[in-house]
Short mmCIF file of all heavy atoms in Angstrom, two decimals:
data_model
loop_
_atom_site.label_atom_id
_atom_site.label_comp_id
_atom_site.label_asym_id
_atom_site.label_seq_id
_atom_site.Cartn_x
_atom_site.Cartn_y
_atom_site.Cartn_z
N THR H 219 27.64 77.18 36.97
CA THR H 219 26.58 77.45 36.01
C THR H 219 25.50 78.29 36.66
O THR H 219 25.08 78.03 37.79
CB THR H 219 25.96 76.13 35.51
OG1 THR H 219 27.00 75.33 34.95
CG2 THR H 219 24.90 76.37 34.44
N SER H 220 25.07 79.31 35.94
CA SER H 220 23.97 80.13 36.43
C SER H 220 23.05 80.39 35.24
O SER H 220 23.43 81.08 34.30
CB SER H 220 24.53 81.42 37.02
OG SER H 220 23.55 82.40 37.01
N GLY H 221 21.87 79.78 35.26
CA GLY H 221 20.96 79.89 34.11
C GLY H 221 21.62 79.26 32.90
O GLY H 221 22.05 78.10 32.95
N ALA H 222 21.75 80.01 31.82
CA ALA H 222 22.32 79.47 30.59
C ALA H 222 23.75 79.95 30.39
O ALA H 222 24.26 79.98 29.28
CB ALA H 222 21.45 79.82 29.40
N VAL H 223 24.40 80.35 31.50
CA VAL H 223 25.81 80.76 31.42
C VAL H 223 26.61 79.81 32.30
O VAL H 223 26.30 79.62 33.47
CB VAL H 223 26.01 82.20 31.92
CG1 VAL H 223 27.49 82.59 31.86
CG2 VAL H 223 25.17 83.17 31.10
N SER H 224 27.62 79.19 31.71
CA SER H 224 28.41 78.23 32.48
C SER H 224 29.89 78.49 32.21
O SER H 224 30.31 78.66 31.06
CB SER H 224 28.03 76.81 32.06
OG SER H 224 28.73 75.89 32.86
N VAL H 225 30.67 78.52 33.29
CA VAL H 225 32.10 78.74 33.15
C VAL H 225 32.84 77.52 33.69
O VAL H 225 32.59 77.09 34.81
CB VAL H 225 32.54 80.03 33.89
CG1 VAL H 225 34.06 80.20 33.81
CG2 VAL H 225 31.83 81.24 33.30
N LEU H 226 33.70 76.97 32.85
CA LEU H 226 34.54 75.84 33.27
C LEU H 226 35.92 76.40 33.55
O LEU H 226 36.49 77.13 32.73
CB LEU H 226 34.57 74.79 32.16
CG LEU H 226 35.42 73.54 32.42
CD1 LEU H 226 34.74 72.32 31.83
CD2 LEU H 226 36.82 73.67 31.86
N ARG H 227 36.45 76.05 34.74
CA ARG H 227 37.73 76.59 35.15
C ARG H 227 38.69 75.43 35.43
O ARG H 227 38.36 74.51 36.17
CB ARG H 227 37.51 77.42 36.41
CG ARG H 227 38.75 78.04 37.00
CD ARG H 227 38.43 78.50 38.43
NE ARG H 227 39.68 78.56 39.18
CZ ARG H 227 40.22 79.70 39.59
NH1 ARG H 227 39.62 80.84 39.37
NH2 ARG H 227 41.36 79.68 40.25
N ILE H 228 39.85 75.49 34.81
CA ILE H 228 40.89 74.49 35.10
C ILE H 228 42.01 75.25 35.82
O ILE H 228 42.57 76.19 35.25
CB ILE H 228 41.46 73.85 33.82
CG1 ILE H 228 40.32 73.40 32.88
CG2 ILE H 228 42.38 72.69 34.16
CD1 ILE H 228 40.79 73.05 31.48
N SER H 229 42.28 74.87 37.05
CA SER H 229 43.35 75.58 37.74
C SER H 229 44.64 74.78 37.61
O SER H 229 44.64 73.55 37.70
CB SER H 229 42.99 75.84 39.20
OG SER H 229 42.32 74.73 39.74
N ALA H 230 45.72 75.49 37.35
CA ALA H 230 47.06 74.89 37.15
C ALA H 230 46.99 73.71 36.18
O ALA H 230 47.17 72.55 36.56
CB ALA H 230 47.65 74.49 38.50
N VAL H 231 46.70 74.05 34.96
CA VAL H 231 46.50 73.02 33.93
C VAL H 231 47.79 72.24 33.68
O VAL H 231 48.88 72.80 33.76
CB VAL H 231 45.96 73.68 32.62
CG1 VAL H 231 46.99 74.59 31.98
CG2 VAL H 231 45.49 72.62 31.63
N THR H 232 47.63 70.96 33.42
CA THR H 232 48.81 70.15 33.11
C THR H 232 48.78 69.76 31.63
O THR H 232 47.73 69.81 31.00
CB THR H 232 48.82 68.85 33.95
OG1 THR H 232 47.62 68.11 33.66
CG2 THR H 232 48.88 69.16 35.43
N GLU H 233 49.93 69.37 31.12
CA GLU H 233 50.04 69.05 29.69
C GLU H 233 49.09 67.94 29.27
O GLU H 233 48.53 67.98 28.20
CB GLU H 233 51.47 68.63 29.37
CG GLU H 233 52.33 69.79 28.89
CD GLU H 233 53.70 69.30 28.48
OE1 GLU H 233 54.60 69.21 29.34
OE2 GLU H 233 53.83 68.98 27.28
#
Side-chain angles (χ1 to χ4, degrees):
T219 303
S220 157
V223 178
S224 184
V225 177
L226 179 143
R227 179 195 156 111
I228 312 167
S229 40
V231 67
T232 59
E233 267 185 272

